[in-house]
Amino acid sequence: EVDTPASRTRQVPDIDAEILYEGITSAPTKQLTSTKAHVRAATKSSSQKGERKKPTNEKQAVLVTKRKTKKSSSNKSSTMPGFIKDDDLDAHIARSQPSSLPQHRTRARVTVRSKSAARLRRRAANSESLYKKSAAVPDSLLDYAKEIHAVERVTPKEEKELGTKTQEAIRLQSLHDELQLKYGRDPTEDEWCAAAGKVNMVSLQEALEDGMRAKNQLVASNLRMVQRVVNLYIRNGLGSEYNAGDLMQDGTMALIRAAEKYEPDRGFRFSTYAMYWIRSAVKRSQTSQSRIVNVPQRIHETHKRVSKEETRLRKELSAERREPTK
């Protein structure tokens, strides 16, 4: 029989599959040409692995064992090159070092106390104590004062809007009165709408209702001004013969009148305009209550001027020791 290369059969050495796999994975990049060199390299790599240093820590031993048993399943490269993803290692690190993980810090809420709110509460408490001490204040005024402070104030922008709507409603109502005086009868809806410049009665009624709501809101949000003027009289020693509730009522009626006549286009605030009406009304009410017989305001003012001039003349003529002539 001729010994040809085709008739020769290559005999594969009997090598353990695991040792062969580890040898191939840990072999150098240079390709081995002979089978003996390949087997020698695999045997050398397996002996080096056996001679590795034993783990000194129990945790490291557990990690090494898990790596060996699950090497085929966990040998998957992650998205970061050069690292191998190991779920067991990540879980062990998370369990062993929970204190090193970043913790969510909760900030304590600091309650900022508003100075204006505290001032309003202090003013309301002072007013209540003042009312309880005065004999001129009825019990109904205490409850009314609490209702006043329950309504919030309006901003200057809202004040202008409310004043504009109020003036529009008053203009429509005065236009109706002029048409009634002109024709001698109630004007029809078409005549009223044509004179007011409205499309129909629906839009006209809406303007009237908006104006009334605006006036009520403007009055309700500024009732504190009336209370402040009345409190001034109570602090100055308002006697028991006076009724602070009547002063409050007359001041509120003056505030309503000021809301009807307020024109925001003139450029001043509503409080500046309404304070004149409130002070004059409260003063007139206090004057009318000071006498048993009701005296007209103009006569009372004349009497005050005469009394003032008489006192001045008496002081000037005291050096001459004589009375002023009449």
Side-chain angles (χ1 to χ4, degrees):
E1 185 178 359
V2 182
D3 187 9
T4 59
S7 61
R8 295 175 184 174
T9 59
R10 176 176 288 180
Q11 295 181 358
V12 180
D14 190 8
I15 303 174
D16 191 4
E18 184 177 357
I19 297 175
L20 180 61
Y21 176 77
E22 292 179 357
I24 292 173
T25 54
S26 61
T29 55
K30 186 177 180 181
Q31 187 177 4
L32 300 177
T33 56
S34 63
T35 307
K36 294 181 179 180
H38 178 68
V39 173
R40 191 182 301 111
T43 308
K44 184 178 181 180
S45 62
S46 61
S47 62
Q48 288 179 356
K49 285 188 176 182
E51 295 175 358
R52 285 180 181 176
K53 186 185 292 185
K54 294 183 180 180
T56 58
N57 194 358
E58 295 181 359
K59 294 182 179 180
Q60 294 181 0
V62 173
L63 293 176
V64 171
T65 306
K66 289 184 177 180
R67 286 179 184 177
K68 288 183 178 181
T69 54
K70 296 184 178 181
K71 188 173 182 180
S72 59
S73 61
S74 62
N75 193 15
K76 295 181 180 179
S77 62
S78 63
T79 55
M80 183 177 290
F83 291 89
I84 297 176
K85 181 176 177 60
D86 195 341
D87 297 334
D88 297 333
L89 180 61
D90 295 340
H92 177 71
I93 293 173
R95 287 193 305 270
S96 60
Q97 297 178 352
S99 60
S100 62
L101 298 177
Q103 300 293 334
H104 179 67
R105 297 181 179 179
T106 58
R107 295 182 178 180
R109 295 183 179 179
V110 179
T111 304
V112 180
R113 188 173 183 179
S114 178
K115 294 183 178 179
S116 59
R119 185 172 61 253
L120 291 177
R121 287 193 294 268
R122 185 172 61 254
R123 187 179 299 173
N126 294 338
S127 299
E128 186 176 357
S129 63
L130 180 66
Y131 291 162
K132 290 181 180 180
K133 294 178 182 178
S134 178
V137 178
D139 296 336
S140 59
L141 189 60
L142 295 173
D143 299 334
Y144 183 65
K146 294 179 181 179
E147 294 177 1
I148 287 174
H149 290 279
V151 182
E152 296 182 357
R153 294 181 178 180
V154 294
T155 60
K157 184 178 179 180
E158 294 174 349
E159 188 177 272
K160 291 182 179 180
E161 294 177 357
L162 296 175
T164 303
K165 292 180 181 180
T166 303
Q167 289 300 315
E168 178 65 18
I170 292 175
R171 185 187 71 84
L172 295 176
Q173 190 62 38
S174 62
L175 188 61
H176 181 273
D177 297 339
E178 291 176 1
L179 292 176
Q180 187 177 12
L181 183 63
K182 178 181 179 180
Y183 296 121
R185 56 175 176 81
D186 291 337
T188 61
E189 295 181 356
D190 295 337
E191 292 174 349
W192 195 8
C193 292
K198 300 294 181 180
V199 178
N200 49 20
M201 279 298 296
V202 176
S203 60
L204 195 144
Q205 290 294 336
E206 287 180 357
L208 289 174
E209 292 175 0
D210 291 344
M212 291 299 297
R213 284 195 297 267
K215 185 183 76 172
N216 294 335
Q217 185 177 357
L218 192 62
V219 171
S221 60
N222 289 279
L223 285 172
R224 295 180 179 89
M225 292 193 299
V226 183
Q227 185 188 14
R228 186 171 63 181
V229 175
V230 174
N231 288 348
L232 182 62
Y233 281 85
I234 297 174
R235 273 192 209 95
N236 292 335
L238 191 65
S240 58
E241 66 273 12
Y242 299 97
N243 189 351
D246 293 343
L247 300 181
M248 194 79 181
Q249 182 177 1
D250 292 338
T252 304
M253 293 177 65
L255 179 63
I256 295 173
R257 182 61 176 167
E260 293 175 352
K261 296 181 70 64
Y262 172 62
E263 297 178 4
D265 298 335
R266 294 183 179 271
F268 46 81
R269 295 287 302 273
F270 175 72
S271 59
T272 306
Y273 179 72
M275 187 57 72
Y276 167 77
W277 289 86
I278 295 170
R279 285 176 178 173
S280 60
V282 173
K283 184 179 180 180
R284 191 181 306 113
S285 177
Q286 189 264 345
T287 304
S288 64
Q289 294 182 32
S290 63
R291 296 177 178 272
I292 299 175
V293 179
N294 191 10
V295 179
Q297 182 67 22
R298 58 182 183 84
I299 297 178
H300 182 75
E301 293 294 335
T302 304
H303 181 265
K304 282 181 63 175
R305 287 197 301 270
V306 171
S307 301
K308 185 178 180 180
E309 290 297 328
E310 183 180 0
T311 304
R312 184 182 64 81
L313 288 173
R314 285 180 184 277
K315 288 182 180 180
E316 291 179 357
L317 298 175
S318 61
E320 300 178 5
R321 295 180 180 179
R322 68 180 183 88
E323 298 289 331
T325 58
K326 293 184 179 179

